[in-house]
Amino acid sequence: MDLAQTLNLPVEIPIGGKTLRFSEFTLQELAQLQAWIKSHVVHPLDAIKGHLDGFSPEDRDRVIAQARAEARDWPPSPGSRAFSETLFSRPDGLRFAMSLALAKHQPTATDRDVKWLLKAMNRDEATTKRIVGVLFGNDEPDDDESEDGEALDPKG
Amino acid sequence: MRQSGEGQSAGPIRFDLLVRALVRKAGVPPSEVGALTFRQALNILDDSDPSDPHAGGRVLSSPYELYDVFDHLGWSQ
């Protein structure tokens, strides 16, 4: 039993020459992410309105059926593939999620820090996977921690 | 938190049931539920370890296991 993990203590993760602290999202934070989706992403049924002209009847039925299926679980539930895809397929969704994650243990972090982090994540897929794993409770041991860094400097 | 659809398919996690069980069965104050992680919530609800008088001990991690917990608590739909 990993007591630190059970108590959701922050994990230090080096990225881009800095060391940042992250921990698993709480239910309240997951709710904030879901609320973001609800307020920023068009409802699946609204998304197809006005876009069905020119479809064959079969394709039209298929698109409507898919939208209805997505609408049954709208906004998508945290932990579902639809939730992750909806949130992370949009740059503003990813930015919101990482802003929430970063501010939790780096309370002085600014929008500039969030932009810096997103750029660093874009250059480091392995560390990005680790960060996302920690945030969503899928973290697994990772031996690839060769890069030592400094604590986040909000002005840096 | 595992993606539903990976491995055994359990469908979306029913967070409404999770919160209800935490409050009604485990006695977590409603104001404190939001501060728990998914992993902590499952750990609180898990009473599958007979050696643990406080009904904890084994950390669950998947939606599928969550439904096992609900079954055990009599919260199946």
Side-chain angles (χ1 to χ4, degrees):
Chain A
M1 191 264 302
D2 185 333
L3 183 57
Q5 192 178 58
T6 302
L7 295 178
N8 200 29
L9 297 185
V11 176
E12 293 192 342
I13 301 180
I15 182 169
K18 298 180 179 178
T19 298
L20 303 177
R21 302 167 84 217
F22 298 97
S23 61
E24 186 177 342
F25 283 130
T26 63
L27 297 180
Q28 180 170 317
E29 289 158 348
L30 291 174
Q32 288 177 262
L33 296 175
Q34 189 187 46
W36 186 94
I37 292 174
K38 191 176 180 181
S39 62
H40 288 77
V41 180
V42 180
H43 188 280
L45 293 178
D46 291 335
I48 64 171
K49 283 180 184 172
H51 296 284
L52 295 174
D53 293 342
F55 278 76
S56 67
E58 293 79 15
D59 287 343
R60 181 187 169 96
D61 288 347
R62 190 162 48 244
V63 169
I64 292 174
Q66 184 177 342
R68 282 181 175 158
E70 291 175 11
R72 276 195 288 274
D73 182 34
W74 189 262
S77 181
S80 69
R81 192 174 302 280
F83 178 85
S84 300
E85 289 178 353
T86 305
L87 189 66
F88 294 128
S89 65
R90 297 172 53 112
D92 52 349
L94 179 60
R95 189 164 61 243
F96 176 76
M98 295 317 300
S99 174
L100 195 63
L102 189 63
K104 186 174 181 180
H105 298 296
Q106 285 83 199
T108 60
T110 64
D111 286 345
R112 188 177 165 196
D113 295 315
V114 176
K115 288 178 185 173
W116 175 89
L117 174 59
L118 292 174
K119 281 185 182 176
M121 289 171 66
N122 203 34
R123 291 191 295 263
D124 189 343
E125 185 179 350
T127 304
T128 296
K129 283 183 179 175
R130 186 168 176 223
I131 292 172
V132 172
V134 168
L135 295 178
F136 289 95
N138 290 337
D139 47 319
E140 295 173 357
D142 187 347
D143 296 330
D144 186 18
E145 294 182 21
S146 55
E147 189 178 7
D148 290 330
E150 57 190 62
L152 174 68
D153 176 5
K155 295 181 176 59
Chain B
M1 183 186 304
R2 304 294 179 201
Q3 297 268 355
S4 61
E6 291 179 359
Q8 296 151 306
S9 64
I13 299 168
R14 286 290 305 273
F15 281 92
D16 53 341
L17 294 181
L18 178 67
V19 170
R20 195 186 303 167
L22 285 168
V23 172
R24 294 188 185 175
K25 294 290 183 182
V28 176
S31 61
E32 295 179 14
V33 169
L36 298 171
T37 64
F38 183 70
R39 188 171 7 214
Q40 289 172 326
L42 292 182
N43 196 32
I44 288 172
L45 290 174
D46 181 25
D47 62 356
S48 61
D49 182 355
S51 69
D52 180 2
H54 301 294
R58 188 167 67 90
V59 177
L60 306 182
S61 61
S62 77
Y64 188 82
E65 289 177 289
L66 172 63
Y67 288 98
D68 286 345
V69 173
F70 285 150
D71 282 343
H72 194 71
L73 292 172
W75 280 79
S76 299
Q77 298 184 90

